[in-house]
Amino acid sequence: MAETSRSTVFGRRKEPHTVIIARGDHIRHFQVRPWVVALAGSAFAAMAIGYLLATSYLVFRDDLIDATSARQARLQQAYEDRISALRAQVDRITSRQMLDQQLMETKVGELLERQTQLTQRHGRLGPILDRAEAEAATLPPAAPLPPHKPDVRAESAGRSPDFSLASAATTPFSFWSTRNSEAPGETSADRADRLFVAINLSLRTIESEQLTRINTLAEDAYQTADAISNVLEDAGLPVDIDDGKSGIGGPLVTISNPALFDTKVKELDEALDLLDRMKSEARRLPIANPSPGHSVSSTFGVRKDPLLGSPAMHSGIDFRAPMGSDARVTAAGTVVTAGWNGGYGRMVEVQHAGGFTTRYGHLSKVLVKKGQQVSAGAVVGKVGSSGRSTGPHLHYEVRRNGDALNPVRFLKAGKKVSQYL
């Protein structure tokens, strides 16, 4: 390789590198360009770098593989842990949903059972309440029932209560759950639970109102029967009624609602039966007024005889009634005498239950016949002055087994009892 420099007009020019190869007689030479040198150097550098990288890879390959495997294992473990956590959460949610569903089904079943009981009770209460109301219509006003709560306005006759969430929000006690107040994040199950609480309390209120109503009606019936009995006993009139009560007692032991309801209904039925028997017994007695609206002019007992002026026994009472006024029978019975009867003049005698008889004397006209059945209040004749009499009036007697009794006792008892009949 030789380098020559030549002088030129523009100065020295650098000769390119020349490579000479001699082989025997053959000589070859070629010039090496700078870019060829650069290319060769670059190729050599690349090969060197590649060799170094390959050597490094071969040296550190196991470590890289182990690190990669560990990283993949960590990622897989984290993924599996996440999957397990999600599965556990899904299981919890599913379990809660199943529990809520079972709870809902239980609550719905209980509500349906309660509704069925209320429907059956209403069917049983219908006739007996109608009977009790019919009896109560003839009685003095009873004490009013306790006022209802504002959120429940259902009558025991069957009106539907207000099952709103607004009423459930103010509920102080939950039958199934303690979730009563609406809280942030409340679920539909929570709201449904509060609704069931409100419905349950409303049904309980209806049941309580039914029992309260039954108790009130039974108490009113017993009080009325006792009042009738007391009036008749105070008047000395016989009352032969078995009220079904006896000397019993013991500690109070509560029972279930169905049994309690049946007991209360039976008690009301017995009270109404007792009241009916007492009314029937009272109607059998001659306690009505034979001449309504007219005053008594002569009482029962010893008096001055109006014709002779000497003391004499007056076996009845006289009503100051005008000629032709109605003489009404004071109780149902059978006519045993209808016509003229000595000093009584025209007289009607009626046989009643319990050995009682009533007599209506000094009539101007008799309107019934012997053997005829008459009801209380029926007109048996017209007031007159026949027989041993000084003027128009109605002579009225009450006898039992032939013995004369003071009719005033019967009239006073009838006046007191009339408000219950």
Side-chain angles (χ1 to χ4, degrees):
M1 179 183 296
E3 181 181 349
T4 60
S5 299
R6 298 178 182 178
S7 298
T8 61
V9 179
F10 299 101
R12 297 181 66 184
R13 181 172 63 88
K14 188 175 182 181
E15 292 293 336
H17 297 282
T18 302
V19 177
I20 299 174
I21 301 174
R23 184 178 182 183
D25 294 337
H26 297 283
I27 298 174
R28 293 181 181 181
H29 63 89
F30 55 88
Q31 294 178 350
V32 179
R33 301 290 182 180
W35 61 271
V36 175
V37 176
L39 181 60
S42 298
F44 178 77
M47 291 177 62
I49 293 173
Y51 176 78
L52 292 175
L53 291 176
T55 301
S56 300
Y57 172 73
L58 293 176
V59 174
F60 298 105
R61 179 182 62 179
D62 294 339
D63 295 338
L64 293 175
I65 291 175
D66 292 340
T68 303
S69 300
R71 183 171 179 271
Q72 289 179 349
R74 289 195 300 271
L75 292 176
Q76 184 176 359
Q77 184 66 33
Y79 178 75
E80 291 177 355
D81 292 341
R82 179 61 177 168
I83 292 298
S84 299
L86 291 175
R87 286 180 178 175
Q89 185 177 1
V90 170
D91 292 340
R92 287 195 300 270
I93 294 175
T94 304
S95 300
R96 181 176 178 182
Q97 289 178 347
M98 294 180 62
L99 291 176
D100 288 341
Q101 182 178 359
Q102 293 177 356
L103 184 60
M104 290 294 181
E105 292 176 354
T106 302
K107 293 175 182 179
V108 170
E110 183 176 349
L111 289 179
L112 291 177
E113 182 180 358
R114 280 178 171 242
Q115 183 65 33
T116 302
Q117 291 179 358
L118 288 177
T119 303
Q120 294 175 351
R121 290 182 179 185
H122 176 60
R124 293 182 56 189
L125 282 177
I128 195 169
L129 285 180
D130 292 341
R131 177 185 174 189
E133 295 294 345
E135 295 286 353
T138 63
L139 304 180
L145 291 176
H148 295 188
K149 295 182 179 179
D151 58 334
V152 178
R153 302 227 179 240
E155 296 290 343
S156 60
R159 280 199 289 170
S160 299
D162 180 15
F163 297 153
S164 61
L165 286 176
S167 62
T170 59
T171 302
F173 172 74
S174 171
F175 182 72
W176 293 290
S177 172
T178 57
R179 299 178 300 195
N180 294 315
S181 59
E182 187 171 359
E186 185 181 39
T187 64
S188 58
D190 297 329
R191 291 191 295 270
D193 182 73
R194 291 173 50 243
L195 178 59
F196 278 120
V197 170
I199 296 175
N200 179 68
L201 291 181
S202 298
L203 293 178
R204 282 193 168 189
T205 302
I206 295 176
E207 294 174 355
S208 177
E209 289 176 352
Q210 286 181 341
L211 293 177
T212 301
R213 184 59 178 166
I214 292 174
N215 286 334
T216 301
L217 292 175
E219 186 67 22
D220 290 344
Y222 278 126
Q223 290 180 356
T224 303
D226 290 341
I228 295 175
S229 177
N230 292 335
V231 169
L232 296 180
E233 289 178 357
D234 291 342
L237 303 180
V239 180
D240 187 15
I241 292 294
D242 181 12
D243 60 2
K245 298 180 180 180
S246 59
I248 58 177
L252 174 63
V253 179
T254 59
I255 56 178
S256 59
N257 281 339
L260 178 61
F261 176 80
D262 293 338
T263 302
K264 292 300 182 181
V265 171
K266 183 178 179 181
E267 181 180 358
L268 175 59
D269 198 24
E270 292 176 352
L272 294 176
D273 289 341
L274 173 62
L275 180 59
D276 288 341
R277 294 196 303 270
M278 189 61 67
K279 287 183 176 181
S280 298
E281 185 69 16
R283 292 189 182 101
R284 294 173 57 198
L285 300 174
I287 57 176
N289 193 325
S291 183
H294 300 111
S295 60
V296 176
S297 58
S298 181
T299 58
F300 175 86
V302 178
R303 66 170 184 176
K304 183 178 180 180
D305 185 79
L307 298 179
L308 300 178
S310 60
M313 179 65 184
H314 189 216
S315 58
I317 59 176
D318 295 337
F319 287 91
R320 186 181 291 107
M323 179 71 70
S325 299
D326 293 335
R328 299 181 180 274
V329 67
T330 54
T334 303
V335 177
V336 294
T337 301
W340 193 273
N341 188 7
Y344 288 98
R346 294 182 182 87
M347 185 195 75
V348 172
E349 184 174 5
V350 180
Q351 179 73 44
H352 307 285
F356 288 97
T357 58
T358 54
R359 294 180 179 180
Y360 310 86
H362 307 307
L363 301 177
S364 62
K365 182 184 293 186
V366 175
L367 302 179
V368 293
K369 297 180 180 180
K370 184 177 181 179
Q372 181 178 340
Q373 299 290 329
V374 292
S375 58
V379 179
V380 295
K382 298 294 184 178
V383 174
S385 186
S386 60
R388 197 168 182 273
S389 172
T390 60
H393 70 281
L394 174 63
H395 177 80
Y396 174 65
E397 292 183 10
V398 177
R399 294 176 178 266
R400 187 181 190 189
N401 299 326
D403 297 330
L405 304 176
N406 188 356
V408 175
R409 289 189 308 164
F410 292 80
L411 294 178
K412 289 182 177 180
K415 185 175 181 180
K416 294 179 181 179
V417 171
S418 62
Q419 60 180 328
Y420 304 110
L421 301 181

